[in-house]
Structure formats: structure tokens, C-alpha cells
Amino acid sequence: QVQLVESGGGLVQPGGSLRLSCAASGIIFSIRGARWYRQAPGKERELVASITSNGITTYTDSVKGRFSVSRDNAKNTLYLQMSSLKPEDTAVYYCNLYYARTPDYWGQGTQVTVSS
């Protein structure tokens, strides 16, 4: 059974940092591309960052220079390091794994709240 378990969310002050993790099991992690999405209340889900199976990363403009996506294939884990957080980064963050034409897999989401 495939499971993606996210952790690391929470409440942080503006300017602070958090690191999200997404631990995968029951799946061949290393061959899959991976993405982080977020969804704020009343808004559509937004692609934040992605990393291919060979480590190529991309970011949405609003997080460039502040967020960093990485992966540890030995631990089957995806990470999102978030720094200089802003209130507009508040959202539920989801990890996603994809591979060719097979179905995507999603985590359950972790809440990130940036507030003073």
C-alpha cells in the first residue's frame, strides 16, 4: 500500500523558517518526479516547487530564493525548506509523486500558518 506522510508544518512568525518532509512507502521513490503544492483558503491548489528524478528543480516565482526542494532517495523522502516566510505562504501543503502515465500519489497535507 502506497503512503505519503507529510510532517513539519506548524505556526511560524513572518521571516521564520520551516522544513516540510514527505516520507514515501510502498512505492519506488527514486524513479518518480516529485512536487509540492499548496492550497490557501478560498484559492485553487498551486504548484510551488518540483524536482525531477535526477534532481532538476523548478519553483513558482513567488517562492524563488526563499524555498528549496530536495530529495533523499535512500530515505524515500522529499523535503521543502522554507525560509523568509510571509503571511501569504499560509496554506495546506501537499506532496505529490508522479511517473510517466501512472497515477499520481498525494500526501494528506500539512498546515503551514505564518502569523505574528
Side-chain angles (χ1 to χ4, degrees):
Q1 182 179 357
V2 177
Q3 281 192 312
L4 302 183
V5 179
E6 297 161 5
S7 60
L11 173 64
V12 63
Q13 292 186 343
S17 299
L18 283 174
R19 188 177 80 155
L20 305 183
S21 299
C22 173
S25 60
I27 196 171
I28 303 175
F29 179 78
S30 61
I31 65 172
R32 285 172 163 79
R35 303 176 177 125
W36 286 99
Y37 287 81
R38 66 186 179 187
Q39 188 165 20
K43 295 188 177 181
E44 293 187 354
R45 190 169 294 190
E46 173 191 28
L47 176 60
V48 176
S50 64
I51 184 167
T52 65
S53 58
N54 56 3
I56 297 172
T57 59
T58 58
Y59 301 91
T60 192
D61 285 346
S62 62
V63 308
K64 284 180 181 177
R66 301 189 298 121
F67 289 13
S68 177
V69 59
S70 61
R71 62 192 298 159
D72 185 335
N73 289 338
K75 295 182 178 180
N76 287 357
T77 302
L78 173 70
Y79 301 100
L80 184 67
Q81 178 68 49
M82 305 185 294
S83 303
S84 301
L85 282 161
K86 304 175 181 180
E88 51 263 44
D89 295 318
T90 295
V92 178
Y93 285 71
Y94 300 89
C95 61
N96 165 272
L97 299 183
Y98 63 94
Y99 178 69
R101 297 178 182 176
T102 63
D104 286 11
Y105 294 99
W106 290 87
Q108 81 285 0
T110 186
Q111 176 70 47
V112 171
T113 302
V114 184
S115 175
S116 55

